[in-house]
Amino acid sequence: MKVTEPGGTTVRIGRRWLPWRRQLRHLDDLDVPDVPLGDDPISAVIAVIMLVIALPFIVLFAIALGELLLLLALLPLALLVRVAFGRPWTVDVTRQGELVLSERATDWPSSTELIHDLAAKAERGDLLSR
């Protein structure tokens, strides 16, 4: 759930579906120049050099994609364990991608109630005065 605080800052409030919090890494505006290449040998050398330079980014993208696929594969198992063994739900409040507050709720209905309570407090501006 997205809520706007009185100062205009957007706050996200939601359940943490997996037992751990995923660490997101933000890349500041990555500018990749558009280089038109021809079909001569010099263009081929330039293309190989650009590929070598881009290779670390391609590998990092593949790793991030693999992590996302692993998380999607583990999600049904995590939900089954959470429901079967009555694990508490964690409600996270993030402001501009940074974790501000984290609270636990015993079950799904109480986590929904906690989310709405935290959203109302954020809209009033007294979220961190707890």
Side-chain angles (χ1 to χ4, degrees), residues 22 31 38 45 51 58 71 90 99 111 124-125 127:
R22 185 167 183 226
D31 252 348
V45 170
L51 180 65
I58 294 170
L71 289 175
T90 304
L99 183 66
S111 68
R124 287 192 312 262
L127 181 65

Side-chain angles (χ1 to χ4, degrees), residues 70-81:
L70 180 64
L71 289 175
L72 289 175
L74 289 177
L75 184 62
L77 178 65
L79 288 176
L80 179 68
V81 168

